[in-house]
Amino acid sequence: MSKSRITAIALSVTALATSALSGCSSGSDSASTGGGSGSGNQIVLGFTATLTGDFASYGVNVRNGAQLAIDDINRAGGLDGKKLRLKIEDDQGKPSNGPVVAQKLCDDGSVKAVLGYSFSSVALASIPVVNQCKLPVVASSVTSPKLSGISPYFFRNVPTDAAQGLQYGDYAASTLGLKKIAVLYQQDDYGSGAATAFIKGVEASGGEVTYKAAYQVGTTAFQSQIASAMGSGADALYVGGFYTEAAKIAQQARAAGFEGQLLGIDGSLANELMKLGGPAVEGMMAYGTFVPSIQTATVQKFVAAYRHEFGDEPTSAAALGYDALQLVARAIKDGGDTRAGIEAALPKTRLTDGITGANSFDSKHDRIAKIYFVKVSHGQFIQAQGES
Amino acid sequence: MILSYLLDALMLGCIYGLTGVAFTLVYSVLGMVNFAFSAIFMIGSYVTVLFWVDGLNVLGHQLDLPDLGFVPAVAVGILVAGIAGVCVDRLAYRPLRRAPVLTLLTASLAAQFFLQGLGQLLFGANQSAFGNPVSGSFPIGQARVANIDLVIFAVSAATMVGLHLFIGKTPLGRGIRATAQDQATARLMGIDTERVIMVTFVVASMLAALAGILYSTKYQFVSASMGQIPALKGIVAAVVGGVGNIRGTFVGGVALGLVETCAVAYMPNGSAYQDVVAFLVLGIVLWVRPQGLLGIRVMERA
């Protein structure tokens, strides 16, 4: 264990060095506005996320999604004739940068609202600054429960792990009729948070958890856990973790003769699951806020535009970034292009035709979301029947 | 259920045992822990995949090598790993033969990270699929025995018998034993100890690679860091069984497999802490029996 930690430290040192070299470029395109507020025919929105280093992919994806939404809006004539523009900052994933970046955006009077945020810790650190200057934030990639209802100015359109887990548990027990479920989960905040909510959902819908065990990320041998799970009489096996371990659990469960339903979570919603798991993951379920293969016109239009613009498949972070920007645009339409106007409009703002389904906020400013349930069929994720 | 646990324990134990024996062999002749085995562990698996399954990207490009079939690909993998082990010795350890053991240890850590980094550079940091050459299972009572588990038992047992005969009956094996007992005296008696060390590295690296390939076959993946935990467990097996004692090390590996499986099966939430349990056992054994379970005398090292 200690050696992998040394590797991680070595990697992060390299990453820091790289980001120190390249980090300056991201802020430069915003320099043109200077301090001037109320620039006549454009509305500036701030964007901060981790855009360099090992964990850059979430932030970059959210930014790409938001940029795509801006392009769509501007192409259609902007908001009341005003074009939208992003002022982009890189928080480098460091909580200490949270307040600094927030202050910078606060001080720029032209910035009306802020999007982004890759890490809950960075978002938490910037809350006091945001409160002080009454700057509304719509975050797209932070799921910590600590952020629920933390500030009148903080909103997020990514559903929390707990909300998703609860829906999944209800779906498994009610819609799929799975009443005896064995639960394996990753031993960290993500895995145990998802599993705890799932179990709550299952039990509320009359199901029963027959076996429960945690494992460390990087575990490969699950035969004994699977034997215990099968011995407990489970007719379904839930895996609350990443696709690497989910693929191994599926393979070993099938080899041990387990024939029940396999239930993965959003950490398993990746094509790598099928690459690693092969035929063993056929029929396995998972969920997510966004599934590129879902055949609705809005989703397919977004997928095509994203591919064309960035030459890559959009992730759920990209879809949430797109929807977050559309939410803010709608709030500007309803409340006007001032910080106070956006803040007043956001709690009632609702996006019915989002890429990630309907977007709206509950009283704690968390996303009210319906998640998509998917299933592996012929080596591809398809939407499962009976979506809640 | 008990049968399932037992099979799992034995299968894990065989892999830990084989890895541990690699460490024990090199320890006997050089008195050092060769951490590079943690990387050698994955070399055999990657080479096997290159010569067997399609679809592995090298430096981002698909490399189409001839498909040799599984068993020949494994043979090539083990061979390449043996050569890699000798190269590590020649380049990293041989210039340091008279240096303190701590220096050698540092060099071996460097070799491990170098090889692992090279693996990541060539094949990426993600896990890749290994394929499933030995699928299928059959029922015994309520449990199902996977064919691959039987293959792991058979291959491990055959390898251990072969190694026993090699060390005990051949002139090279005698050379290894002599070098293990006293390198200076062995050299004075006309034994080419450098050659003995080379042979030891070949054999030990091949054992580590074999363990890695069995591991990949069982768990159907390869990755640059796949050897880290099994190698640490191999070191624990060697220490628990008695470092320098081949049979003891293998027994130590099987014992470790049993303890871990018991932790998962019978300890509340034990599966989250199976690695902790493994190292706890190491601590207890070192405290109660510092020479290891089967380690009897310092002289009887190989």
Side-chain angles (χ1 to χ4, degrees), chain A residues 107-140:
Chain A
D107 292 347
D108 182 343
S110 69
V111 173
K112 304 303 179 208
V114 175
L115 294 100
Y117 285 109
S118 303
F119 285 100
S120 295
S121 49
V122 179
L124 279 163
S126 44
I127 293 292
V129 180
V130 165
N131 282 345
Q132 210 185 353
C133 64
K134 304 186 163 68
L135 182 62
V137 175
V138 180
S140 295

PDB file of all heavy atoms in Angstrom, chain A residues 107-140:
ATOM      1  N   ASP A 107     -14.385  40.227  -7.645  1.00  0.00           N
ATOM      2  CA  ASP A 107     -13.915  41.593  -7.874  1.00  0.00           C
ATOM      3  C   ASP A 107     -14.185  42.077  -9.288  1.00  0.00           C
ATOM      4  O   ASP A 107     -14.205  43.277  -9.538  1.00  0.00           O
ATOM      5  CB  ASP A 107     -12.411  41.693  -7.575  1.00  0.00           C
ATOM      6  CG  ASP A 107     -12.123  41.505  -6.098  1.00  0.00           C
ATOM      7  OD1 ASP A 107     -13.097  41.560  -5.314  1.00  0.00           O
ATOM      8  OD2 ASP A 107     -10.961  41.283  -5.724  1.00  0.00           O
ATOM      9  N   ASP A 108     -14.338  41.154 -10.211  1.00  0.00           N
ATOM     10  CA  ASP A 108     -14.642  41.536 -11.584  1.00  0.00           C
ATOM     11  C   ASP A 108     -16.152  41.754 -11.700  1.00  0.00           C
ATOM     12  O   ASP A 108     -16.927  40.798 -11.785  1.00  0.00           O
ATOM     13  CB  ASP A 108     -14.166  40.435 -12.536  1.00  0.00           C
ATOM     14  CG  ASP A 108     -14.404  40.808 -13.992  1.00  0.00           C
ATOM     15  OD1 ASP A 108     -15.197  41.735 -14.255  1.00  0.00           O
ATOM     16  OD2 ASP A 108     -13.800  40.164 -14.861  1.00  0.00           O
ATOM     17  N   GLY A 109     -16.551  42.996 -11.679  1.00  0.00           N
ATOM     18  CA  GLY A 109     -17.977  43.322 -11.665  1.00  0.00           C
ATOM     19  C   GLY A 109     -18.749  42.804 -12.864  1.00  0.00           C
ATOM     20  O   GLY A 109     -19.976  42.654 -12.808  1.00  0.00           O
ATOM     21  N   SER A 110     -18.055  42.507 -13.965  1.00  0.00           N
ATOM     22  CA  SER A 110     -18.769  42.039 -15.152  1.00  0.00           C
ATOM     23  C   SER A 110     -19.227  40.587 -15.012  1.00  0.00           C
ATOM     24  O   SER A 110     -20.079  40.128 -15.763  1.00  0.00           O
ATOM     25  CB  SER A 110     -17.884  42.204 -16.390  1.00  0.00           C
ATOM     26  OG  SER A 110     -16.803  41.299 -16.316  1.00  0.00           O
ATOM     27  N   VAL A 111     -18.646  39.841 -14.050  1.00  0.00           N
ATOM     28  CA  VAL A 111     -19.015  38.429 -13.883  1.00  0.00           C
ATOM     29  C   VAL A 111     -20.337  38.335 -13.119  1.00  0.00           C
ATOM     30  O   VAL A 111     -20.437  38.798 -11.991  1.00  0.00           O
ATOM     31  CB  VAL A 111     -17.903  37.659 -13.134  1.00  0.00           C
ATOM     32  CG1 VAL A 111     -18.370  36.247 -12.806  1.00  0.00           C
ATOM     33  CG2 VAL A 111     -16.636  37.615 -13.965  1.00  0.00           C
ATOM     34  N   LYS A 112     -21.347  37.746 -13.740  1.00  0.00           N
ATOM     35  CA  LYS A 112     -22.685  37.722 -13.153  1.00  0.00           C
ATOM     36  C   LYS A 112     -22.992  36.433 -12.397  1.00  0.00           C
ATOM     37  O   LYS A 112     -23.844  36.400 -11.507  1.00  0.00           O
ATOM     38  CB  LYS A 112     -23.750  37.897 -14.248  1.00  0.00           C
ATOM     39  CG  LYS A 112     -23.567  39.155 -15.079  1.00  0.00           C
ATOM     40  CD  LYS A 112     -23.566  40.407 -14.216  1.00  0.00           C
ATOM     41  CE  LYS A 112     -23.347  41.638 -15.093  1.00  0.00           C
ATOM     42  NZ  LYS A 112     -22.705  42.711 -14.332  1.00  0.00           N
ATOM     43  N   ALA A 113     -22.346  35.343 -12.798  1.00  0.00           N
ATOM     44  CA  ALA A 113     -22.548  34.068 -12.112  1.00  0.00           C
ATOM     45  C   ALA A 113     -21.333  33.197 -12.410  1.00  0.00           C
ATOM     46  O   ALA A 113     -20.572  33.489 -13.320  1.00  0.00           O
ATOM     47  CB  ALA A 113     -23.822  33.378 -12.596  1.00  0.00           C
ATOM     48  N   VAL A 114     -21.159  32.121 -11.606  1.00  0.00           N
ATOM     49  CA  VAL A 114     -19.990  31.259 -11.783  1.00  0.00           C
ATOM     50  C   VAL A 114     -20.439  29.825 -11.993  1.00  0.00           C
ATOM     51  O   VAL A 114     -21.384  29.352 -11.353  1.00  0.00           O
ATOM     52  CB  VAL A 114     -19.051  31.348 -10.557  1.00  0.00           C
ATOM     53  CG1 VAL A 114     -17.907  30.362 -10.678  1.00  0.00           C
ATOM     54  CG2 VAL A 114     -18.511  32.756 -10.403  1.00  0.00           C
ATOM     55  N   LEU A 115     -19.761  29.132 -12.919  1.00  0.00           N
ATOM     56  CA  LEU A 115     -20.030  27.718 -13.146  1.00  0.00           C
ATOM     57  C   LEU A 115     -18.759  26.921 -12.889  1.00  0.00           C
ATOM     58  O   LEU A 115     -17.694  27.487 -12.707  1.00  0.00           O
ATOM     59  CB  LEU A 115     -20.490  27.491 -14.588  1.00  0.00           C
ATOM     60  CG  LEU A 115     -21.833  28.127 -14.927  1.00  0.00           C
ATOM     61  CD1 LEU A 115     -21.638  29.420 -15.671  1.00  0.00           C
ATOM     62  CD2 LEU A 115     -22.680  27.153 -15.718  1.00  0.00           C
ATOM     63  N   GLY A 116     -18.895  25.589 -12.931  1.00  0.00           N
ATOM     64  CA  GLY A 116     -17.716  24.735 -12.850  1.00  0.00           C
ATOM     65  C   GLY A 116     -17.594  23.974 -11.552  1.00  0.00           C
ATOM     66  O   GLY A 116     -18.557  23.382 -11.088  1.00  0.00           O
ATOM     67  N   TYR A 117     -16.427  24.026 -10.963  1.00  0.00           N
ATOM     68  CA  TYR A 117     -16.011  23.317  -9.741  1.00  0.00           C
ATOM     69  C   TYR A 117     -15.881  21.806  -9.931  1.00  0.00           C
ATOM     70  O   TYR A 117     -16.852  21.096 -10.139  1.00  0.00           O
ATOM     71  CB  TYR A 117     -16.931  23.625  -8.559  1.00  0.00           C
ATOM     72  CG  TYR A 117     -16.682  25.013  -8.004  1.00  0.00           C
ATOM     73  CD1 TYR A 117     -17.610  26.031  -8.187  1.00  0.00           C
ATOM     74  CD2 TYR A 117     -15.504  25.297  -7.337  1.00  0.00           C
ATOM     75  CE1 TYR A 117     -17.370  27.309  -7.705  1.00  0.00           C
ATOM     76  CE2 TYR A 117     -15.261  26.567  -6.851  1.00  0.00           C
ATOM     77  CZ  TYR A 117     -16.191  27.578  -7.028  1.00  0.00           C
ATOM     78  OH  TYR A 117     -15.945  28.832  -6.556  1.00  0.00           O
ATOM     79  N   SER A 118     -14.634  21.330  -9.854  1.00  0.00           N
ATOM     80  CA  SER A 118     -14.347  19.897  -9.977  1.00  0.00           C
ATOM     81  C   SER A 118     -14.354  19.203  -8.624  1.00  0.00           C
ATOM     82  O   SER A 118     -14.722  18.046  -8.510  1.00  0.00           O
ATOM     83  CB  SER A 118     -12.963  19.675 -10.584  1.00  0.00           C
ATOM     84  OG  SER A 118     -12.845  20.298 -11.817  1.00  0.00           O
ATOM     85  N   PHE A 119     -13.872  19.918  -7.580  1.00  0.00           N
ATOM     86  CA  PHE A 119     -13.675  19.264  -6.285  1.00  0.00           C
ATOM     87  C   PHE A 119     -14.529  19.910  -5.206  1.00  0.00           C
ATOM     88  O   PHE A 119     -14.550  21.132  -5.062  1.00  0.00           O
ATOM     89  CB  PHE A 119     -12.207  19.347  -5.852  1.00  0.00           C
ATOM     90  CG  PHE A 119     -11.308  18.419  -6.603  1.00  0.00           C
ATOM     91  CD1 PHE A 119     -10.534  18.880  -7.650  1.00  0.00           C
ATOM     92  CD2 PHE A 119     -11.257  17.074  -6.279  1.00  0.00           C
ATOM     93  CE1 PHE A 119      -9.717  18.021  -8.353  1.00  0.00           C
ATOM     94  CE2 PHE A 119     -10.443  16.208  -6.978  1.00  0.00           C
ATOM     95  CZ  PHE A 119      -9.669  16.688  -8.013  1.00  0.00           C
ATOM     96  N   SER A 120     -15.192  19.078  -4.410  1.00  0.00           N
ATOM     97  CA  SER A 120     -16.008  19.575  -3.309  1.00  0.00           C
ATOM     98  C   SER A 120     -15.175  20.410  -2.350  1.00  0.00           C
ATOM     99  O   SER A 120     -15.635  21.432  -1.831  1.00  0.00           O
ATOM    100  CB  SER A 120     -16.629  18.399  -2.548  1.00  0.00           C
ATOM    101  OG  SER A 120     -17.517  17.699  -3.375  1.00  0.00           O
ATOM    102  N   SER A 121     -13.922  19.972  -2.093  1.00  0.00           N
ATOM    103  CA  SER A 121     -13.083  20.699  -1.134  1.00  0.00           C
ATOM    104  C   SER A 121     -12.816  22.126  -1.606  1.00  0.00           C
ATOM    105  O   SER A 121     -12.788  23.058  -0.799  1.00  0.00           O
ATOM    106  CB  SER A 121     -11.761  19.952  -0.934  1.00  0.00           C
ATOM    107  OG  SER A 121     -11.197  19.622  -2.176  1.00  0.00           O
ATOM    108  N   VAL A 122     -12.620  22.298  -2.919  1.00  0.00           N
ATOM    109  CA  VAL A 122     -12.365  23.637  -3.469  1.00  0.00           C
ATOM    110  C   VAL A 122     -13.637  24.478  -3.361  1.00  0.00           C
ATOM    111  O   VAL A 122     -13.598  25.650  -2.966  1.00  0.00           O
ATOM    112  CB  VAL A 122     -11.906  23.537  -4.939  1.00  0.00           C
ATOM    113  CG1 VAL A 122     -11.666  24.922  -5.515  1.00  0.00           C
ATOM    114  CG2 VAL A 122     -10.664  22.685  -5.050  1.00  0.00           C
ATOM    115  N   ALA A 123     -14.776  23.873  -3.680  1.00  0.00           N
ATOM    116  CA  ALA A 123     -16.047  24.595  -3.609  1.00  0.00           C
ATOM    117  C   ALA A 123     -16.322  25.038  -2.175  1.00  0.00           C
ATOM    118  O   ALA A 123     -16.687  26.187  -1.917  1.00  0.00           O
ATOM    119  CB  ALA A 123     -17.175  23.716  -4.132  1.00  0.00           C
ATOM    120  N   LEU A 124     -16.102  24.112  -1.210  1.00  0.00           N
ATOM    121  CA  LEU A 124     -16.331  24.440   0.199  1.00  0.00           C
ATOM    122  C   LEU A 124     -15.478  25.630   0.633  1.00  0.00           C
ATOM    123  O   LEU A 124     -15.944  26.520   1.344  1.00  0.00           O
ATOM    124  CB  LEU A 124     -15.993  23.227   1.075  1.00  0.00           C
ATOM    125  CG  LEU A 124     -17.074  22.156   1.162  1.00  0.00           C
ATOM    126  CD1 LEU A 124     -16.506  20.848   1.694  1.00  0.00           C
ATOM    127  CD2 LEU A 124     -18.214  22.624   2.055  1.00  0.00           C
ATOM    128  N   ALA A 125     -14.221  25.648   0.177  1.00  0.00           N
ATOM    129  CA  ALA A 125     -13.306  26.718   0.583  1.00  0.00           C
ATOM    130  C   ALA A 125     -13.727  28.070   0.014  1.00  0.00           C
ATOM    131  O   ALA A 125     -13.423  29.112   0.589  1.00  0.00           O
ATOM    132  CB  ALA A 125     -11.885  26.380   0.143  1.00  0.00           C
ATOM    133  N   SER A 126     -14.433  28.078  -1.123  1.00  0.00           N
ATOM    134  CA  SER A 126     -14.757  29.365  -1.743  1.00  0.00           C
ATOM    135  C   SER A 126     -16.109  29.921  -1.296  1.00  0.00           C
ATOM    136  O   SER A 126     -16.443  31.061  -1.613  1.00  0.00           O
ATOM    137  CB  SER A 126     -14.706  29.239  -3.267  1.00  0.00           C
ATOM    138  OG  SER A 126     -15.336  28.074  -3.666  1.00  0.00           O
ATOM    139  N   ILE A 127     -16.880  29.115  -0.546  1.00  0.00           N
ATOM    140  CA  ILE A 127     -18.225  29.546  -0.145  1.00  0.00           C
ATOM    141  C   ILE A 127     -18.232  30.891   0.613  1.00  0.00           C
ATOM    142  O   ILE A 127     -19.025  31.782   0.277  1.00  0.00           O
ATOM    143  CB  ILE A 127     -18.923  28.439   0.688  1.00  0.00           C
ATOM    144  CG1 ILE A 127     -19.219  27.213  -0.181  1.00  0.00           C
ATOM    145  CG2 ILE A 127     -20.203  28.956   1.334  1.00  0.00           C
ATOM    146  CD1 ILE A 127     -20.256  27.402  -1.246  1.00  0.00           C
ATOM    147  N   PRO A 128     -17.344  31.099   1.621  1.00  0.00           N
ATOM    148  CA  PRO A 128     -17.390  32.384   2.351  1.00  0.00           C
ATOM    149  C   PRO A 128     -17.220  33.593   1.428  1.00  0.00           C
ATOM    150  O   PRO A 128     -17.910  34.608   1.593  1.00  0.00           O
ATOM    151  CB  PRO A 128     -16.206  32.278   3.326  1.00  0.00           C
ATOM    152  CG  PRO A 128     -15.952  30.823   3.476  1.00  0.00           C
ATOM    153  CD  PRO A 128     -16.332  30.193   2.184  1.00  0.00           C
ATOM    154  N   VAL A 129     -16.313  33.484   0.459  1.00  0.00           N
ATOM    155  CA  VAL A 129     -16.069  34.597  -0.468  1.00  0.00           C
ATOM    156  C   VAL A 129     -17.306  34.854  -1.319  1.00  0.00           C
ATOM    157  O   VAL A 129     -17.749  35.999  -1.505  1.00  0.00           O
ATOM    158  CB  VAL A 129     -14.852  34.280  -1.366  1.00  0.00           C
ATOM    159  CG1 VAL A 129     -14.604  35.420  -2.330  1.00  0.00           C
ATOM    160  CG2 VAL A 129     -13.635  33.990  -0.518  1.00  0.00           C
ATOM    161  N   VAL A 130     -17.882  33.760  -1.826  1.00  0.00           N
ATOM    162  CA  VAL A 130     -19.067  33.856  -2.677  1.00  0.00           C
ATOM    163  C   VAL A 130     -20.223  34.506  -1.912  1.00  0.00           C
ATOM    164  O   VAL A 130     -20.949  35.348  -2.434  1.00  0.00           O
ATOM    165  CB  VAL A 130     -19.445  32.443  -3.170  1.00  0.00           C
ATOM    166  CG1 VAL A 130     -20.835  32.430  -3.749  1.00  0.00           C
ATOM    167  CG2 VAL A 130     -18.427  31.950  -4.180  1.00  0.00           C
ATOM    168  N   ASN A 131     -20.368  34.120  -0.627  1.00  0.00           N
ATOM    169  CA  ASN A 131     -21.417  34.699   0.216  1.00  0.00           C
ATOM    170  C   ASN A 131     -21.245  36.210   0.348  1.00  0.00           C
ATOM    171  O   ASN A 131     -22.199  36.970   0.289  1.00  0.00           O
ATOM    172  CB  ASN A 131     -21.363  34.085   1.621  1.00  0.00           C
ATOM    173  CG  ASN A 131     -21.989  32.705   1.648  1.00  0.00           C
ATOM    174  OD1 ASN A 131     -22.689  32.325   0.708  1.00  0.00           O
ATOM    175  ND2 ASN A 131     -21.724  31.960   2.694  1.00  0.00           N
ATOM    176  N   GLN A 132     -19.982  36.605   0.556  1.00  0.00           N
ATOM    177  CA  GLN A 132     -19.671  38.000   0.814  1.00  0.00           C
ATOM    178  C   GLN A 132     -20.063  38.881  -0.370  1.00  0.00           C
ATOM    179  O   GLN A 132     -20.624  39.955  -0.196  1.00  0.00           O
ATOM    180  CB  GLN A 132     -18.177  38.118   1.091  1.00  0.00           C
ATOM    181  CG  GLN A 132     -17.830  39.241   2.008  1.00  0.00           C
ATOM    182  CD  GLN A 132     -16.314  39.369   2.131  1.00  0.00           C
ATOM    183  OE1 GLN A 132     -15.561  38.530   1.623  1.00  0.00           O
ATOM    184  NE2 GLN A 132     -15.880  40.402   2.786  1.00  0.00           N
ATOM    185  N   CYS A 133     -19.757  38.424  -1.594  1.00  0.00           N
ATOM    186  CA  CYS A 133     -20.039  39.290  -2.742  1.00  0.00           C
ATOM    187  C   CYS A 133     -21.332  38.884  -3.450  1.00  0.00           C
ATOM    188  O   CYS A 133     -21.619  39.367  -4.538  1.00  0.00           O
ATOM    189  CB  CYS A 133     -18.862  39.332  -3.693  1.00  0.00           C
ATOM    190  SG  CYS A 133     -18.486  37.763  -4.431  1.00  0.00           S
ATOM    191  N   LYS A 134     -22.107  37.945  -2.821  1.00  0.00           N
ATOM    192  CA  LYS A 134     -23.422  37.575  -3.334  1.00  0.00           C
ATOM    193  C   LYS A 134     -23.379  37.151  -4.801  1.00  0.00           C
ATOM    194  O   LYS A 134     -24.185  37.579  -5.618  1.00  0.00           O
ATOM    195  CB  LYS A 134     -24.410  38.734  -3.147  1.00  0.00           C
ATOM    196  CG  LYS A 134     -24.531  39.201  -1.697  1.00  0.00           C
ATOM    197  CD  LYS A 134     -25.634  40.244  -1.580  1.00  0.00           C
ATOM    198  CE  LYS A 134     -26.097  40.459  -0.168  1.00  0.00           C
ATOM    199  NZ  LYS A 134     -25.102  41.101   0.717  1.00  0.00           N
ATOM    200  N   LEU A 135     -22.405  36.294  -5.103  1.00  0.00           N
ATOM    201  CA  LEU A 135     -22.216  35.831  -6.474  1.00  0.00           C
ATOM    202  C   LEU A 135     -22.829  34.437  -6.629  1.00  0.00           C
ATOM    203  O   LEU A 135     -22.389  33.498  -5.975  1.00  0.00           O
ATOM    204  CB  LEU A 135     -20.711  35.786  -6.781  1.00  0.00           C
ATOM    205  CG  LEU A 135     -20.268  35.374  -8.176  1.00  0.00           C
ATOM    206  CD1 LEU A 135     -20.782  36.350  -9.221  1.00  0.00           C
ATOM    207  CD2 LEU A 135     -18.744  35.300  -8.247  1.00  0.00           C
ATOM    208  N   PRO A 136     -23.865  34.269  -7.455  1.00  0.00           N
ATOM    209  CA  PRO A 136     -24.476  32.941  -7.589  1.00  0.00           C
ATOM    210  C   PRO A 136     -23.555  31.940  -8.298  1.00  0.00           C
ATOM    211  O   PRO A 136     -22.854  32.301  -9.235  1.00  0.00           O
ATOM    212  CB  PRO A 136     -25.733  33.199  -8.419  1.00  0.00           C
ATOM    213  CG  PRO A 136     -25.576  34.549  -9.006  1.00  0.00           C
ATOM    214  CD  PRO A 136     -24.572  35.304  -8.216  1.00  0.00           C
ATOM    215  N   VAL A 137     -23.569  30.679  -7.808  1.00  0.00           N
ATOM    216  CA  VAL A 137     -22.734  29.613  -8.370  1.00  0.00           C
ATOM    217  C   VAL A 137     -23.634  28.448  -8.762  1.00  0.00           C
ATOM    218  O   VAL A 137     -24.513  28.053  -7.996  1.00  0.00           O
ATOM    219  CB  VAL A 137     -21.717  29.107  -7.316  1.00  0.00           C
ATOM    220  CG1 VAL A 137     -20.933  27.923  -7.851  1.00  0.00           C
ATOM    221  CG2 VAL A 137     -20.779  30.215  -6.877  1.00  0.00           C
ATOM    222  N   VAL A 138     -23.433  27.887  -9.961  1.00  0.00           N
ATOM    223  CA  VAL A 138     -24.078  26.624 -10.325  1.00  0.00           C
ATOM    224  C   VAL A 138     -22.972  25.628 -10.641  1.00  0.00           C
ATOM    225  O   VAL A 138     -22.322  25.703 -11.679  1.00  0.00           O
ATOM    226  CB  VAL A 138     -25.033  26.772 -11.524  1.00  0.00           C
ATOM    227  CG1 VAL A 138     -25.667  25.421 -11.860  1.00  0.00           C
ATOM    228  CG2 VAL A 138     -26.118  27.791 -11.228  1.00  0.00           C
ATOM    229  N   ALA A 139     -22.713  24.702  -9.716  1.00  0.00           N
ATOM    230  CA  ALA A 139     -21.619  23.736  -9.865  1.00  0.00           C
ATOM    231  C   ALA A 139     -22.118  22.473 -10.553  1.00  0.00           C
ATOM    232  O   ALA A 139     -23.294  22.124 -10.450  1.00  0.00           O
ATOM    233  CB  ALA A 139     -21.038  23.409  -8.502  1.00  0.00           C
ATOM    234  N   SER A 140     -21.214  21.789 -11.260  1.00  0.00           N
ATOM    235  CA  SER A 140     -21.636  20.633 -12.051  1.00  0.00           C
ATOM    236  C   SER A 140     -20.907  19.345 -11.740  1.00  0.00           C
ATOM    237  O   SER A 140     -21.187  18.322 -12.347  1.00  0.00           O
ATOM    238  CB  SER A 140     -21.445  20.920 -13.538  1.00  0.00           C
ATOM    239  OG  SER A 140     -22.283  21.955 -13.929  1.00  0.00           O
TER     240      SER A 140
END
